[in-house]
Amino acid sequence: FLRRREEGGMVIAHIIPEETVETAVADPIVLIASDGVPFVNGRAHPRGAGTFARVLGRYVREKGTLTLMDALRKITIMPARRLEASVPQMRTKGRLRVDADADLTIFDPETVLDRATFPRPAQPSAGIHHVLVEGTFVVRDGQLVEGALPGRAIRRR
């Protein structure tokens, strides 16, 4: 760690026991989001690509730690509500309603699972059929849509 700190670069530590993660995921007031850093020198943390598929595949389907509806609440409306006081654009996220952003992920709950790894952090998740951002397909039939770049950066005031 000290050598990498002096040289610069990423240090990844696996320090949270699985039992602690499972307890946190199950807690009703814990929301789920990703702090996965973007690619730096071709490297990234797999949670940048696999956080939500991991929750849906591992903690909902495989372990039964929480229900599908609880997981969806934790990864959609709860993070949006947590941020909307300081980031007004979040009032149109995490909801299905008129005047909300049309950001949707269509997945198969029987097959969704993260596949991102440390050697291949951008590996797409299994079971994700379609992703729409502002109503525009960015993933269609499980494949990235080339050149599709809808959406806007969301920034705090």
Side-chain angles (χ1 to χ4, degrees):
F1 177 81
L2 293 175
R3 181 178 54 80
R4 287 295 289 165
R5 188 172 181 187
E6 287 176 13
E7 295 172 356
M10 240 188 286
V11 175
I12 298 171
H14 301 273
I15 57 173
I16 304 174
E18 176 61 23
E19 304 80 43
T20 303
V21 173
E22 200 164 340
T23 298
V25 164
D27 191 296
I29 66 168
V30 171
L31 61 85
I32 298 169
S34 175
D35 64 349
V37 296
F39 278 85
V40 177
N41 298 326
R43 305 289 302 174
H45 196 290
R47 72 177 164 243
T51 295
F52 305 114
R54 173 169 286 227
V55 170
L56 297 169
R58 178 178 290 186
Y59 298 109
V60 172
R61 185 182 61 249
E62 292 177 3
K63 292 187 171 200
T65 305
L66 66 165
T67 68
L68 177 59
M69 293 310 293
D70 284 340
L72 292 174
R73 181 177 56 83
K74 287 172 169 280
I75 65 179
T76 59
I77 192 68
M78 285 179 70
R81 285 186 176 149
R82 173 68 178 93
L83 294 171
E84 65 189 17
S86 61
V87 185
Q89 301 98 312
M90 294 306 290
R91 291 185 187 122
T92 60
K93 301 291 183 188
R95 300 148 167 91
L96 285 175
R97 68 166 196 234
V98 173
D99 294 329
D101 294 340
D103 299 340
L104 302 169
T105 300
I106 312 302
F107 65 93
D108 181 347
E110 298 300 317
T111 62
V112 67
L113 189 63
D114 64 311
R115 296 188 305 188
T117 63
F118 287 98
R120 297 185 67 202
Q123 180 72 14
S125 297
I128 306 290
H129 298 294
H130 308 292
V131 177
L132 294 98
V133 176
E134 293 186 353
T136 299
F137 281 100
V138 294
V139 173
R140 190 171 205 153
D141 298 320
Q143 301 297 314
L144 283 175
V145 176
E146 193 171 326
L149 298 171
R152 299 172 305 266
I154 296 176
R155 303 205 187 279
R156 187 173 177 202
R157 299 178 245 194

